[in-house]
Amino acid sequence: MIAVLLFWTSLAAIVYAYIGYPLVLTVLSPFLSKPVQKRSLTPSVTLIVSAYNEEKAIEEKIRNSLALDYPREMLDIMVVSDGSSDRTDEIVRAWSPSGVRLLRVEGRVGKTACLNRAVPEARGEIVVFSDANSVYDRNALKEMVANFADPGVGCVTGHTKYLGGNGTVDQSIGIYAQLEKLTKRRESAIGSCIGADGAIFAIRKELYRPLKGTDINDFVIPLNVVRQGYRTVFEEGAWCVEETAKEPEREFSRQVRITNRTLRAIFKKKLGFLSSPEHTLFSFELLSHKVAKFLVPLFLTSALVSNLALTGAQGFYRLLILLQAGFYALAVLERGFVSALLEKVMSACRTFAVVNAAILNGWITYARGRDFTTWKPHR
């Protein structure tokens, strides 16, 4: 009975994290709907581009930023260089006649520490955070800024489309990106979404609070906005494009770093404000969106172990263990000569397995007390 209970509880927890929670939000949306009062407006905006050794991407990023559909006199573009040792700074300085500013931070302090120094230098009422390898849609700024017409909105996040080596959307990552986008859209419809996309999000400058160097900025900044009584909302029309990491090991390392830093934020930040009645819904979202997914590797392990213990009980459980084995086999097998449909299934299984292996590794590095403050370009 213990094995049966453990297996079905684990399975239910996994399904809830990826499917159940979005369905719950869909059911709640009609009853708790809180539309954003959007309106076209053009306040002053500072676009902060974080860069470290981005000589291969920074010029394209600057051209992309200057071509955005936003009044040029209202757009301040600042590249903050985290002690770059290549030609990044030289390239940025060459664009100073076009109004592009360079803020060089010595000492390789990490992205979050760089933002602490960059935001006070921002000239805009609205600050947009971006990365050097993120190419924005032409209307991205206008789409995000329109949400700030609602006085209750303090942070707006867009979303990223990931391209594979052939220039098309990476289908395996695309599935999970679509699920994340759906979840944020539903959360936003009833209050605040959890976290932001680090490559494309904006806040009211006055709401920025200095962060610790180990803080993961695209989670903690929106959290601080909610703490101050404002909403973080999702904007469907604001998007950017990035290439996926060419080396799977780098994507794995990125996921480990994200997990480690998010766990640190959840456990180390003062989250007492979430106990107040007005933050009950947000607390539920935080537990369901972040914590539940971070526990999935544990539930995957317990589902496998309990299923193995039950294989001698009923043929049904032997079938289930075969299905689990088949899933993991699809995750590790080489693509080879297979149909397009099977290749998509294999890619989705592989991405799911890699992400959850990285989450487990993130737990381990966190438990060992390891900090992540710096990053490297994934190209």
Side-chain angles (χ1 to χ4, degrees), residues 307-332:
N307 197 171
L308 284 170
L310 291 167
T311 53
Q314 299 178 26
F316 175 66
Y317 288 105
R318 287 194 288 273
L319 174 62
L320 290 178
I321 198 66
L322 288 175
L323 290 175
Q324 287 200 64
F327 175 87
Y328 290 115
L330 288 173
V332 300

Side-chain angles (χ1 to χ4, degrees), residues 40-51:
S40 178
L41 70 165
T42 54
S44 57
V45 170
T46 292
L47 174 62
I48 297 179
V49 180
S50 298

Side-chain angles (χ1 to χ4, degrees), residues 272-339:
F273 75 99
L274 293 177
S275 62
S276 59
E278 62 266 30
H279 289 115
T280 299
L281 179 60
F282 186 78
S283 300
F284 164 72
E285 292 177 342
L286 179 62
L287 288 171
S288 298
H289 191 149
K290 288 294 184 184
V291 178
K293 280 188 179 178
F294 283 164
L295 291 176
V296 165
L298 172 63
F299 291 122
L300 285 171
T301 303
S302 60
L304 181 60
V305 171
S306 57
N307 197 171
L308 284 170
L310 291 167
T311 53
Q314 299 178 26
F316 175 66
Y317 288 105
R318 287 194 288 273
L319 174 62
L320 290 178
I321 198 66
L322 288 175
L323 290 175
Q324 287 200 64
F327 175 87
Y328 290 115
L330 288 173
V332 300
L333 287 175
E334 294 294 331
R335 288 183 173 88
F337 297 98
V338 296
S339 67

Side-chain angles (χ1 to χ4, degrees), residues 24 133 146 170 172 187 199 216 218 246 255 303 318 345:
V24 169
N133 63 320
D170 189 310
S172 59
E187 290 172 339
I216 180 167
D218 53 7
K246 290 184 173 63
Q255 291 292 339
R318 287 194 288 273
V345 172

